[in-house]
C-alpha cells in the first residue's frame, strides 16, 4: 500500500486551516482523511471514519469526527463536526445507551447544532486516548478478517501491535467494547475488528496514518508471501451483451419493482470478477454475506445469480425466487429485533452472471455505480479469502441487524 503522505501538502493544509481561524490539527485531519479516502482499497463510498482531538478557544477539549454520510475523499472541515469530549466520557460511566440515546448525546454536545450527525463510531474515537484516530475497511485486511481463525492470523502477522476484537455491532456496543479492549492492551497501536476492518491511532496525523498504511501493507505482504494475488481495483474490460441486458432490464422493471420508473445498471467484468464467477462453489460462497457489514445497505445480504444464457422466463423466475428468499430472510430475523421492522423492498441490488460479469443495480446511475464498485471489491476479497482458507463473514442475524439498523438507514436518506 503506497504511503501518500507529502510534507508540503500537509503543511499547506495546516496553514490553510490556520488562515481560516481553525486549528492546524484540523487541517491535517482533513489532509490525511482525503489521502485515505482517495484509495479505494482502504475505503469506498462513505466507508471508514476519522477524528482529531483539540481544544477550543476557551480550553475546552473537543473532538472533530467524520460526519455520518460524508466521503473521506472529498471531506471538508464542515464534514468533521466538533463535539465536546467531557460529556461523552461521562456517558461511559453510565447506563447502556440505545441508538437514539447515543445520537441524542452526540447531537446535544455538538458545538454547532446544525452540524451533521457524528459518525456512529464517534464514541470509540472519543475513548481512545490519542489525538488522531483512523478507521478503514481495507481489501487486504478484510480478506483476513473474514476468516474463522482471524485472530490467529492477526497474531501471526502483527504480534502484539494490534488488539483483537470479535465482531460487535457498530455503534454504542462497538464503542464500549473497543474502548475496553484498548484499556486491557494500552500498548497496542491499533484494533483489528473481526469481519469489519482496522483502527489505528497516534499522537500526530502522520503517526496514525503511517500505522494504517504499514498495517495494511503487512496484510498485503502476508498474502503475497503465500502466493495469493490481490490486485488493486480493476476497470471493466468487457461489454454487456445487449440482448441479455434487455431481458434483465425487462424483468427488473416488471410488477411493483422499485426500478419501474428509474433503473441504473452498472455492468462490470475483469480478471478478478471472472475468477470469482467461475468458482464451482459460487452459489454457496456468494450468499454467505457481505465483506464488511455496512455494504449490506448498498447491495443487500445476497446477490441474484443468473446463467449467461438466461432467457426472459429464466430471469423472471429467478427474480421471483430472489424475492421469496429475501422475504424468508426477513421473516426469520424480524421477530428477533428489539423494535418492529418494516420490510424493505425485496429486489436485488447485485446480479452475478456466471462466468461473465456482475451488475450493480440502483434506482439511479450513481447508486448502481456504488453497487458495482462494492461488487468488484467483494470479488477480489472473496478470491483471496478462499485461498487463505474460507470466506466467513458475519452471520445472517448480524447482517439483518445491520441492514435494518436505523442509524445505517439514515446514511441512505442523507445520500
Amino acid at each position: 500500500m503506497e504511503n501518500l503522505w507529502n510534507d508540503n501538502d500537509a503543511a499547506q493544509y495546516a496553514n490553510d486551516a490556520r488562515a481560516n481561524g481553525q486549528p492546524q490539527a484540523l487541517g491535517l485531519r482533513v489532509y490525511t482523511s482525503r489521502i485515505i479516502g482517495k484509495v479505494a482499497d482502504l475505503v469506498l463510498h462513505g466507508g471508514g471514519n476519522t477524528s482529531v482531538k483539540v481544544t477550543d478557544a476557551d480550553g475546552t477539549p473537543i473532538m472533530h469526527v467524520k460526519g455520518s454520510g460524508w466521503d473521506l475523499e472529498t471531506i471538508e472541515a464542515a464534514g468533521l463536526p466538533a463535539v465536546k469530549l467531557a460529556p461523552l466520557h461521562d456517558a461511559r460511566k453510565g447506563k447502556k445507551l440505545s441508538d437514539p440515546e447515543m445520537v441524542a448525546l452526540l447531537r446535544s454536545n455538538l458545538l454547532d447544532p446544525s452540524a451533521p450527525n457524528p459518525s456512529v463510531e464517534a464514541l470509540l474515537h472519543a475513548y481512545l486516548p490519542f489525538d488522531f484516530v483512523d478507521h478503514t475497511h481495507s481489501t487486504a485486511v478484510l480478506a483476513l478478517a473474514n476468516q474463522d481463525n482471524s485472530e490467529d492470523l492477526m497474531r501471526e502477522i502483527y504480534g502484539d501491535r494490534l488488539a483483537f476484537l470479535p465482531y460487535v455491532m457498530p455503534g454504542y456496543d462497538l464503542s464500549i467494547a473497543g474502548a475496553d479492549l484498548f484499556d486491557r492492551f494500552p500498548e497496542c497501536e491499533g484494533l483489528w475488528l473481526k469481519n469489519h476492518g482496522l483502527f489505528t491511532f497516534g499522537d500526530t496525523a502522520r503517526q496514525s496514518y503511517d500505522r494504517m498504511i504499514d498495517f495494511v501493507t503487512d496484510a498485503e505482504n502476508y498474502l503475497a508471501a503465500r502466493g495469493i494475488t490481490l490486485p488493486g481495483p480493476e476497470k471493466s474490460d468487457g461489454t454487456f451483451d445487449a440482448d441479455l441486458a434487455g431481458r434483465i432490464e425487462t424483468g427488473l422493471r416488471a410488477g411493483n419493482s422499485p426500478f419501474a420508473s428509474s433503473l441504473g445498471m452498472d455492468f462490470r467484468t475483469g480478471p478478478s470478477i471472472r475468477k470469482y464467477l467461475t468458482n464451482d462453489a459460487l452459489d454457496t460462497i456468494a450468499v454467505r454475506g457481505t465483506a464488511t457489514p455496512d455494504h449490506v445497505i448498498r447491495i443487500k445480504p445476497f446477490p441474484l445469480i443468473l446463467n449467461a444464457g438466461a432467457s426472459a422466463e429464466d430471469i423472471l423466475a429467478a427474480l421471483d425466487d430472489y424475492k421469496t428468499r429475501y422475504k424468508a430472510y426477513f421473516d426469520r430475523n424480524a421477530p428477533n429485533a428489539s423494535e418492529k421492522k418494516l420490510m424493505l423492498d425485496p429486489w436485488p441490488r447485485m446480479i452475478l452472471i456466471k462466468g461473465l460479469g456482475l451488475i450493480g443495480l440502483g434506482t439511479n446511475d450513481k447508486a448502481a455505480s456504488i453497487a458495482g464498485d462494492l461488487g468488484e471489491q467483494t470479488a477480489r476479497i472473496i478470491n483471496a479469502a478462499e485461498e487463505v482458507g474460507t470466506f466467513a463473514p458475519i452471520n445472517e442475524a448480524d447482517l439483518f441487524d445491520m441492514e435494518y439498523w436505523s442509524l445505517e438507514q439514515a446514511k441512505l436518506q442523507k445520500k
Side-chain angles (χ1 to χ4, degrees):
M1 176 64 63
E2 181 182 3
N3 189 311
L4 300 179
W5 178 278
N6 180 283
D7 286 336
N8 292 333
D9 291 343
Q12 186 63 57
Y13 273 85
N15 291 336
D16 288 347
R18 181 176 58 186
N20 290 324
Q22 300 165 342
Q24 288 184 296
L26 180 56
L28 290 169
R29 177 70 285 172
V30 171
Y31 171 61
T32 51
S33 297
R34 286 187 169 193
I35 59 176
I36 287 172
K38 71 189 299 182
V39 180
D41 269 334
L42 288 176
V43 294
L44 276 174
H45 301 297
N49 39 70
T50 59
S51 67
V52 61
K53 299 178 183 73
V54 296
T55 55
D56 67 8
D58 63 4
T60 301
I62 62 174
M63 175 179 68
H64 290 270
V65 62
K66 193 191 89 164
S68 183
W70 278 74
D71 285 330
L72 292 180
E73 182 178 10
T74 56
I75 202 163
E76 303 280 354
L80 291 154
V83 60
K84 297 174 186 176
L85 275 170
L88 307 189
H89 283 280
D90 291 342
R92 187 180 175 189
K93 306 168 190 174
K95 67 178 182 67
K96 173 183 169 67
L97 300 179
S98 66
D99 290 339
E101 288 170 338
M102 180 184 72
V103 172
L105 170 69
L106 293 169
R107 288 217 61 85
S108 66
N109 287 289
L110 284 168
L111 271 63
D112 177 2
S114 66
N117 281 343
S119 164
V120 296
E121 283 146 4
L123 291 181
L124 178 52
H125 284 259
Y127 299 153
L128 292 169
F130 295 89
D131 287 347
F132 290 84
V133 179
D134 297 327
H135 171 46
T136 70
H137 306 145
S138 154
T139 302
V141 168
L142 291 175
L144 299 168
N146 282 299
Q147 301 285 336
D148 285 335
N149 65 334
S150 176
E151 182 174 7
D152 294 336
L153 294 172
M154 186 205 78
R155 300 287 178 211
E156 182 179 352
I157 300 168
Y158 305 104
D160 294 331
R161 295 183 69 194
L162 294 179
F164 177 82
L165 186 66
Y167 178 75
V168 180
M169 177 77 173
Y172 179 81
D173 290 345
L174 174 58
S175 297
I176 297 301
D180 290 346
L181 177 66
F182 179 82
D183 288 348
R184 294 198 302 274
F185 302 100
E187 300 303 315
C188 73
E189 300 169 13
L191 307 180
W192 178 275
L193 278 54
K194 188 175 190 295
N195 303 125
H196 186 157
L198 178 66
F199 271 83
T200 60
F201 25 77
D203 296 323
T204 67
R206 181 159 193 177
Q207 184 181 47
S208 185
Y209 173 75
D210 283 351
R211 284 175 171 174
M212 178 62 69
I213 299 304
D214 289 347
F215 290 145
V216 172
T217 300
D218 289 343
E220 292 172 339
N221 290 341
Y222 179 87
L223 295 171
R226 282 148 186 78
I228 299 171
T229 301
L230 184 62
E234 296 173 343
K235 292 185 177 180
S236 185
D237 64 4
T239 57
F240 195 8
D241 176 78
D243 290 338
L244 178 58
R247 294 195 295 273
I248 292 174
E249 180 176 356
T250 298
L252 290 170
R253 290 185 181 276
N256 60 346
S257 166
F259 311 119
S261 60
S262 180
L263 170 64
M265 296 174 62
D266 188 308
F267 176 77
R268 306 282 182 97
T269 189
S272 293
I273 290 174
R274 289 189 291 272
K275 178 179 178 180
Y276 174 47
L277 298 179
T278 54
N279 190 314
D280 291 339
L282 178 67
D283 291 298
T284 300
I285 297 170
V287 299
R288 289 179 188 160
T290 58
T292 194
D294 66 349
H295 284 187
V296 72
I297 67 171
R298 306 288 191 187
I299 58 175
K300 296 284 190 177
F302 49 84
L304 171 66
I305 303 175
L306 297 174
N307 292 316
S311 66
E313 293 76 14
D314 293 335
I315 292 167
L316 288 174
L319 284 166
D320 285 342
D321 178 66
Y322 184 95
K323 288 180 282 185
T324 298
R325 287 187 292 121
Y326 186 88
K327 185 178 184 304
Y329 152 81
F330 179 85
D331 291 342
R332 282 193 301 272
N333 293 284
N336 301 320
S338 59
E339 58 188 11
K340 184 177 181 180
K341 301 294 184 183
L342 296 177
M343 190 175 76
L344 302 173
D345 77 78
W347 291 72
R349 294 302 188 273
M350 178 69 58
I351 297 177
L352 306 182
I353 306 172
K354 289 186 175 181
L356 183 60
L358 60 83
I359 308 169
L361 301 175
T363 54
N364 55 59
D365 289 343
K366 182 177 179 180
S369 177
I370 290 172
D373 285 345
L374 298 182
E376 188 272 341
Q377 185 195 35
T378 297
R380 291 184 291 116
I381 289 170
I382 292 180
N383 287 343
E386 284 291 296
E387 291 187 63
V388 172
T390 301
F391 175 63
I394 60 173
N395 62 41
E396 181 184 274
D398 287 330
L399 200 61
F400 178 87
D401 287 343
M402 197 70 188
E403 184 179 8
Y404 282 84
W405 189 26
S406 59
L407 301 187
E408 280 299 308
Q409 291 298 302
K411 288 185 181 181
L412 290 181
Q413 293 171 17
K414 175 176 173 61
K415 291 290 183 181

